Amino acid sequence: MTDLETRVAPSGPAGLRRAAPALLGYAAVRALGLLVLALWSAARDKSAYTLLTARWDALWYTRVAELGYGYEVRLPNGDVHSNLAFFPLLPWLERLLHGVTPLSYAGAGLAVSLSASLAAAWGIFAVADHVYGRRAGVCAVLVWALLPVGIVQSMAYSESLFTALAAWSLYAVLTGRWVTAGVLASLSGLTRPVGLAVVAAVWAAGLASSPAIRGLPSRIPFVRNRSTAPAPGAPAPERAPRTPVNGPLGRERTTEGARPGARALGMLLAPLGVAGYVLWVGHHTGKGPLGYLDVQAGWRNGFDGGYAFARFVADKFTSLPSVPAGLGLVVGVALLIRLYVACVRQRQPLELLVYGGAVLALALCASSYFGSKPRLLLPAFPLLFPLALALARPRTSRAALVAGGVAVASAVYGAWWLNGSGPP
């Protein structure tokens, strides 16, 4: 057992107090973003509330919550946009909250998203705190909040809900709570198709912690000894006695693989959400197990290995005015790849590498909605840990100054972005 595996992480109110600086910082950044959005929208005679709750995907989720599945739009070119493309957990929660409060369906969606964003911030802190220490955990939450597309975290979209479920599922894996990890992974699979990334992480960690795999040679370090190696340059983790500890989810199990039955059950539960919904769509449409792919095809969306996105980027270089946009896309993709390489070099736990890599691949290799790719990458929070470690190195005053400047820029960009013509 290692120091990282036995680090004391207080539970209940103590755990919340430990995460309080991260959550307060997150709330401040998001409040600034919402304030700038309200002022910008008012100056353009638009409603910030409408932008957050009743445009683009938020409308589709609201219709599912209010009317159920079966609504579709047939476009002049023959495409069929069906609401079956939208996974059900967020609409279920909207309907539940609408039923027990005076909130409209749209207002319920916003309330769920705002609550889930705080849960996601806490989950990201818990993961980063467990692997790198408290200061890095606070910085990881701030970096996630400071993303240029961070305003989506406050929209009636499913990104915040999914990220919360994914983060806590990964934390449960890191601390050996396999059944909890499986249940949360299953719920994430009812939220977005990228729930497959959480399933892959749970399965990879489960297989890696089995006795056969843990006996592999040490030249495969993150398979042999998950979650044990701090990143180069990371803050030193707190030390703790080698005894079972408590964490935000309660009593932790610190010996990997000590309960193979629980591990197997968690792995069995993990894919049930995404598999259940996909199979239901196939049955509902009468098109069999792959019917959901036909639904996505109606939106001209799918997975082509990145070919369509590569063509989209290449087309930017065919005319001089669009060349800067093409260069920006190339630089952006290169930065994402470099961040992932940094995660590997810093020896992130296997489950984080699998999850972050899967989210990155699914986002970049989708064949449509290229302008939405930054939003699709929001749940890939492990890719931000190298930036969080860099932010954690300077003195607090200097780090706060940097974060404040970026927060203003992010808030302005988010307000401009949502007031534009296209969907985020």
Side-chain angles (χ1 to χ4, degrees):
M1 209 178 297
T2 68
D3 291 324
L4 276 172
E5 290 171 331
T6 57
R7 182 185 306 160
V8 172
S11 62
L16 182 59
R17 285 195 297 270
R18 183 175 178 84
L23 298 181
L24 290 174
Y26 177 80
V29 173
R30 292 277 30 92
L32 176 63
L34 292 174
L35 175 62
V36 174
L37 175 65
L39 296 174
W40 191 297
S41 302
R44 294 173 58 88
D45 293 324
K46 291 184 178 181
S47 167
Y49 179 78
T50 299
L51 292 175
L52 294 171
T53 64
R55 293 188 71 186
W56 307 301
D57 288 10
L59 279 175
W60 288 89
Y61 284 118
T62 298
R63 290 192 185 106
V64 174
E66 184 176 4
L67 304 173
Y69 285 107
Y71 176 82
E72 61 184 29
V73 175
R74 294 185 177 272
L75 304 183
N77 65 356
D79 290 345
V80 178
H81 288 184
S82 168
N83 64 1
L84 290 168
F86 296 88
F87 277 49
L89 186 57
L90 177 57
W92 286 348
L93 294 175
E94 289 179 353
R95 178 178 294 183
L96 175 64
L97 192 57
H98 169 75
V100 299
T101 68
L103 292 173
S104 65
Y105 287 106
L110 182 61
V112 170
S113 182
L114 291 175
S115 302
S117 68
L118 287 172
W122 192 1
I124 292 170
F125 170 81
V127 171
D129 179 29
H130 180 82
V131 178
Y132 297 118
R134 188 184 189 190
R135 184 177 176 87
V138 173
C139 291
V141 172
L142 288 177
V143 172
W144 191 64
L146 293 170
L147 290 174
V149 295
I151 190 65
V152 175
Q153 299 163 14
S154 302
M155 295 180 69
Y157 274 34
S158 61
E159 272 75 13
S160 290
L161 178 60
F162 174 80
T163 304
L165 293 168
W168 284 110
S169 178
L170 291 171
Y171 179 78
V173 171
L174 286 166
T175 53
R177 299 178 63 90
W178 292 102
V179 176
T180 300
V183 170
L184 293 173
S186 185
L187 290 174
S188 75
L190 286 172
T191 309
R192 298 186 62 82
V194 75
L196 289 170
V198 189
V199 176
V202 172
W203 273 72
L207 293 174
S209 62
S210 66
I213 299 298
R214 283 190 288 128
L216 288 176
S218 58
R219 62 176 174 270
I220 312 178
F222 59 80
V223 170
R224 178 180 175 87
N225 212 4
R226 294 189 309 112
S227 312
T228 62
E238 294 91 342
R239 303 297 176 181
R242 298 188 176 188
T243 57
V245 300
N246 288 330
L249 292 178
R251 176 68 62 179
E252 310 294 3
R253 298 168 179 82
T254 58
T255 304
E256 299 177 26
R259 298 181 62 188
R263 181 175 66 244
L265 180 57
M267 294 172 66
L268 179 64
L269 291 171
L272 294 184
V274 64
Y277 181 68
V278 168
L279 292 175
W280 178 83
V281 169
H283 174 75
H284 182 77
T285 59
K287 295 183 178 180
L290 301 181
Y292 182 77
L293 298 181
D294 292 334
V295 171
Q296 286 284 11
W299 288 78
R300 292 186 179 270
N301 198 17
F303 186 88
D304 65 357
Y307 175 73
F309 183 49
R311 287 190 58 184
F312 174 77
V313 174
D315 287 344
K316 298 296 181 183
F317 292 93
T318 58
S319 62
L320 188 59
S322 62
V323 168
L327 290 174
L329 289 170
V330 171
V331 171
V333 172
L335 176 61
L336 289 169
I337 294 174
R338 179 163 183 171
L339 284 175
Y340 186 75
V341 171
C343 293
V344 175
R345 288 178 174 173
Q346 291 174 355
R347 298 179 66 189
Q348 279 189 10
L350 176 63
E351 46 268 59
L352 300 187
L353 292 176
V354 170
Y355 170 76
V359 174
L360 179 62
L362 290 171
L364 294 183
C365 296
S367 59
S368 189
Y369 297 96
F370 306 117
S372 297
K373 290 191 181 296
R375 168 175 66 86
L376 300 179
L377 286 163
L378 266 180
F381 64 88
L383 298 183
L384 303 177
F385 287 175
L387 299 178
L389 292 173
L391 184 63
R393 292 188 187 106
R395 292 181 177 178
T396 300
S397 57
R398 183 176 179 183
L401 184 63
V402 171
V406 176
V408 172
S410 177
V412 171
Y413 178 82
W416 170 81
W417 192 38
L418 282 197
N419 277 274
S421 58

